Amino acid sequence: MAIIGIRRLRYRVSDTDVARRFFADFGLGPSGEARPGHFTLANGSEVEVLGECDPALPSSQIVGDGVHEVSWGVEDEGSLGLLADELGRDHSLEDIDGGFRTQLFGVPFSFVTWTPRQFANAPDPVNAPGVVRRLNTHRKWRRRARPKVINHVVFRLPDYVEAARFMRARLGFRLSDIQTGFGQYLRASGSNNHHNLLFLNANAHFPGCDGQLRFDHVNFGVEDIDELMIGANYMVRCGWQPSDIGLGRHRIDSALFYYLPCPAGGEVEYGTDADYVDDNWVPREFDVPLFGYSHFTHNVPPFLEREPEWSFKYLTEAQIAAGLGDV
Ligand SMILES: [Fe+2]
């Protein structure tokens, strides 16, 4: 019953005009249907920015603006039926176009059959002293970032451990990594993204964690560091609030990141050069969460003024099976 990735995100926002302008500047392309606030990415995934009272929004228990529905793409009708059978045992399911919708831990999730659109990427070869892969050829010059995919979505949940267990046990998600007391990284079984979903501990001792169910951020995938920083520069020139931390690289999933505060709620993240994994990946537990958070950052935030202690461990199969890594 393979879930292959994020098909669509629906935002609930209090100021649709500002939020829609933000995403257009961020580089999301309009959908072919010329509906305001509807955006389509290169792989066919979509973002919708809807007002608080829009009837298309399902009810949710999420506090504040941000993503209020995650639509998961499922590989075929057979898998969709298996998912409906599994969730229908103890959840009410609502029929929607192409699939069904339900609510898990207060978050609306829908499941629809989906075949992602093919698209081309052509990252420039990288040179290093003594390793010349680009001779007499300059790198691509860009004007704008154009995110191609939705890599992952993140929520803060009061009981994030139990929620992660549910996604693994009932929906086939795989555990990729754990930050002790902070969050669990989950991969849909039909995806090679290091994670499609991150559940953060709403009660963690970290800025913005207030114990409530809240949306945190979405990661949009771009081709390389150049596209990531062209996008960041463009957003600053458009007058949007810049990132405090600036460019950085996570240690967990190895991805380059650039977060921006988002008027649609939470943050958006340009991401590139992440780890891609399959079932051979051995999940790790980062018992010093900040060691997993960053390899480097451009601006060192207060919580990283001291270099974190180097510490992590691989989880045993028994720990993974029991979901014991974080309890
Ligand atoms: Fe992220």
Side-chain angles (χ1 to χ4, degrees):
M1 55 183 187
I3 295 169
I4 55 179
I6 297 171
R7 164 75 180 87
R8 185 187 64 209
L9 298 175
R10 277 186 165 144
Y11 277 82
R12 191 194 80 180
V13 305
S14 43
D15 189 335
T16 52
D17 288 346
V18 172
R20 290 168 181 176
R21 187 159 53 82
F22 177 91
F23 281 115
D25 289 343
F26 186 71
L28 303 191
S31 74
E33 301 174 37
R35 291 184 290 171
H38 289 225
F39 302 94
T40 304
L41 286 79
N43 73 339
S45 57
E46 295 176 89
V47 171
E48 294 185 4
V49 178
L50 304 174
E52 291 169 310
C53 300
D54 195 299
L57 280 170
S59 64
S60 90
Q61 296 172 36
I62 300 166
V63 176
D65 284 0
V67 169
H68 275 246
E69 184 185 17
V70 180
S71 183
W72 294 102
V74 180
E75 63 179 350
D76 54 34
E77 289 287 345
S79 296
L80 192 67
L82 290 172
L83 287 165
D85 290 345
E86 174 62 32
L87 290 175
R89 291 197 283 121
D90 48 9
H91 290 75
S92 62
L93 309 183
E94 174 191 354
D95 286 335
I96 60 170
D97 190 18
F100 66 92
R101 171 191 288 147
T102 190
Q103 192 180 108
L104 306 173
F105 350 105
V107 179
F109 285 121
S110 58
F111 301 85
V112 295
T113 53
W114 183 44
T115 303
R117 193 187 295 161
Q118 297 294 311
F119 63 95
N121 253 344
D124 292 305
V126 174
N127 283 342
V131 184
V132 178
R133 298 205 170 100
R134 211 181 60 252
L135 181 66
N136 299 326
T137 304
H138 68 75
R139 292 176 65 86
K140 278 196 286 291
W141 296 343
R142 304 170 186 271
R143 293 182 186 276
R144 295 286 305 276
R146 296 293 183 193
K148 316 293 187 291
V149 296
I150 303 169
N151 281 325
H152 59 254
V153 61
V154 182
F155 294 95
R156 303 177 201 159
L157 292 96
D159 195 350
Y160 73 108
V161 173
E162 182 52 38
R165 277 202 185 108
F166 184 96
M167 297 302 289
R168 294 170 57 199
R170 303 288 298 276
L171 297 175
F173 276 68
R174 310 295 202 248
L175 178 69
S176 288
D177 283 314
I178 286 174
Q179 283 169 293
T180 309
F182 192 80
Q184 298 204 4
Y185 295 74
L186 301 165
R187 176 175 64 85
S189 62
S191 168
N192 292 120
N193 282 59
H194 173 274
H195 59 287
N196 312 92
L197 186 61
L198 166 57
F199 285 155
L200 293 174
N201 179 5
N203 294 298
H205 297 294
F206 201 72
C209 292
D210 60 1
Q212 303 201 78
L213 171 60
R214 290 182 183 275
F215 162 73
D216 190 271
H217 75 267
V218 174
N219 180 299
F220 292 93
V222 295
E223 187 177 74
D224 59 14
I225 187 174
D226 297 36
E227 186 171 21
L228 181 150
M229 286 307 301
I230 291 293
N233 286 179
Y234 186 85
M235 293 299 276
V236 170
R237 291 187 182 115
C238 288
W240 299 108
Q241 189 181 339
S243 164
D244 288 340
I245 296 176
L247 174 70
R249 190 184 285 278
H250 292 302
R251 204 179 303 270
I252 293 179
D253 103 339
S254 303
L256 289 167
F257 65 78
Y258 194 99
Y259 293 95
L260 287 160
C262 178
E267 294 181 305
V268 289
E269 179 183 16
Y270 286 122
T272 192
D273 194 22
D275 293 331
Y276 285 81
V277 308
D278 63 16
D279 285 346
N280 294 305
W281 177 259
V282 180
R284 303 159 299 179
E285 179 174 11
F286 290 78
D287 52 3
V288 179
L290 289 178
F291 177 66
Y293 175 78
S294 87
H295 186 177
F296 65 81
T297 58
H298 184 277
N299 305 319
V300 178
F303 57 84
L304 285 174
E305 278 176 358
R306 283 189 185 172
E307 185 183 10
E309 180 187 343
W310 285 47
S311 180
F312 79 98
K313 66 184 180 190
Y314 288 103
L315 295 175
T316 65
E317 295 206 356
Q319 287 173 316
I320 296 165
L324 293 178
D326 201 21
V327 294

